[in-house]
Amino acid sequence: TTITTNTFYNNAVLTSLTISNNVTSIETCAINNCSSLMSIICTKPTPIKYATMMFGTLPNGAKIYVPKENVDAYKSIWADYAYAITAISE
């Protein structure tokens, strides 16, 4: 239920990650320095509590897909990544 600190640190082969409904927390720098990570899909209806730099620095063009009815909530809570947050297309 937790993606712990540095779980995916420096993983250069990870291109996509799905965060399912059963994830309740993402720790600081859990998904950090993943140079090929272009797609993060978060299916959880409400945003997971923000942890400092939980995604580190995302590569240019990377997107975080969230349920369309909660895009604004995610952008508010995950403000450092608001530029990358968009609705999951149906």
Side-chain angles (χ1 to χ4, degrees):
T1 61
T2 299
I3 303 174
T4 59
T5 300
N6 295 329
T7 297
F8 295 104
Y9 177 74
N10 216 21
N11 186 326
V13 297
L14 184 67
T15 60
S16 179
L17 178 67
T18 299
I19 301 169
S20 67
N21 290 344
N22 64 345
V23 173
T24 58
S25 66
I26 301 172
E27 294 181 351
T28 301
C29 297
I31 306 158
N32 192 12
N33 200 28
C34 297
S35 58
S36 299
L37 182 60
M38 297 305 292
S39 175
I40 299 168
I41 302 165
C42 189
T43 61
K44 194 167 186 77
T46 55
I48 298 165
K49 183 181 172 191
Y50 179 77
T52 306
M53 294 299 291
M54 59 189 178
F55 300 125
T57 301
L58 293 173
N60 287 338
K63 296 288 182 192
I64 301 171
Y65 298 96
V66 301
K68 68 179 179 178
E69 61 276 1
N70 289 19
V71 167
D72 290 338
Y74 272 91
K75 285 184 175 183
S76 176
I77 293 172
W78 293 2
D80 289 345
Y81 303 103
Y83 66 91
I85 295 173
T86 191
I88 296 172
S89 60
E90 298 183 72

